[in-house]
Amino acid sequence: MTIDRNIQEINRTMWSYGEYRHVADLLRPGAADLVERLAPGPGTRHLDVATGNGNVALLSALRGAVVDGLDLTDEFFPDARTRFDQAGVTVDLHRGDAQELPFPDASFDLVTSTYGVQFAPDHTAAAGEMARVLRPGGRVGMCNWTARSWTAHFQAVLSSYFPSAAGHQGQPMLWGDPDYLTELFGPGCAVTAERRELFYAFPSADDLISFFATCFGPFIAAKNTIAPPSRWKELRAELVEMTEQFHTTDERGTGVPVEYLLAVVETRGDR
């Protein structure tokens, strides 16, 4: 496939803004759920796509897997390496694009992505690459935001101020639909999936949006580029209003439940 290098660089720069490690802290329970579900063992060859600062890669390496992590943005890697060193594990990190993985065919027993690969502009290419580097009988494990999640509503508001290019760009929540994954990975694969929730513990909707305004790269990019600048207040106010519809108090505390799909794609051993 031909990757649009301009879009690739825009995306790489956008995700590099802010303190992503704080956002990654919110996502750790999903990473733990996925690794527990997949249960990689010693010697498992594992590729973690859109690895960020290594939530999944770290947990898998602690189980004895041989892990490679790949991300479009290598600004996350110093934090990841610090975490790996502190845990006493080794993970090989690579800067690269999910749509053009720099690995030979059938290199891995397991390929994962948590809340990452779904943001690749070309869905077919990203899924095809994950399947290509997987050995026959291997598995793909993912956590993907769903179309009814807080994240989907956040992205929808953001996209209304910054319209996306044509095609699947701007439609990452399709990956949160098991039927779409079945179509995407093809008839040689079996998809099992269940909906789960993270919980973002913040005392108010305004506090959650303030957190993302300082830590989340795409939101920081929006603040830096929105025109005229007065529209930033409109965007922020709209996001707070939307978040208030999700904000709740229950046995978990006060905050926002965020739905995701935990999906496992199993490939046939004879492909």
Side-chain angles (χ1 to χ4, degrees), residues 32-184:
D33 283 351
L34 183 65
V35 174
E36 182 68 23
R37 169 68 175 80
L38 295 168
T44 299
R45 289 297 316 277
H46 178 185
L47 171 64
D48 188 41
V49 177
T51 196
N53 70 339
N55 278 344
V56 166
L58 173 59
L59 293 173
S60 184
L62 285 170
R63 287 172 168 257
V66 180
V67 186
D68 288 81
L70 176 137
D71 205 287
L72 188 63
T73 304
D74 57 4
E75 280 83 355
F76 304 143
F77 291 173
D79 183 41
R81 291 190 176 102
T82 296
R83 297 178 70 197
F84 301 150
D85 288 345
Q86 290 174 345
V89 298
T90 299
V91 175
D92 288 332
L93 294 172
H94 312 262
R95 176 176 164 180
D97 196 309
Q99 304 162 123
E100 192 178 51
L101 296 175
F103 306 103
D105 296 357
S107 297
F108 298 96
D109 306 304
L110 178 65
V111 179
T112 58
S113 183
T114 48
Y115 320 107
V117 72
Q118 68 183 117
F119 291 98
D122 190 327
H123 297 188
T124 300
E129 280 293 272
M130 294 173 83
R132 178 186 65 78
V133 301
L134 198 64
R135 67 166 177 79
R139 295 175 297 164
V140 175
M142 294 171 287
C143 294
N144 297 326
W145 305 122
T146 67
R148 65 188 188 186
S149 67
W150 173 84
T151 306
H153 285 74
F154 180 94
Q155 293 289 339
V157 173
L158 207 58
S159 296
S160 70
Y161 285 76
F162 297 89
S164 299
H168 284 318
Q169 175 84 2
Q171 300 180 53
M173 306 310 156
L174 289 170
W175 288 72
D177 179 352
D179 292 335
Y180 183 71
L181 294 180
T182 298
E183 176 186 344
L184 197 58

Side-chain angles (χ1 to χ4, degrees), residues 225-240:
T225 58
I226 197 166
S230 60
R231 294 192 75 211
W232 168 250
K233 290 185 178 179
E234 299 174 21
L235 169 58
R236 191 185 183 287
E238 189 171 343
L239 286 169
V240 170

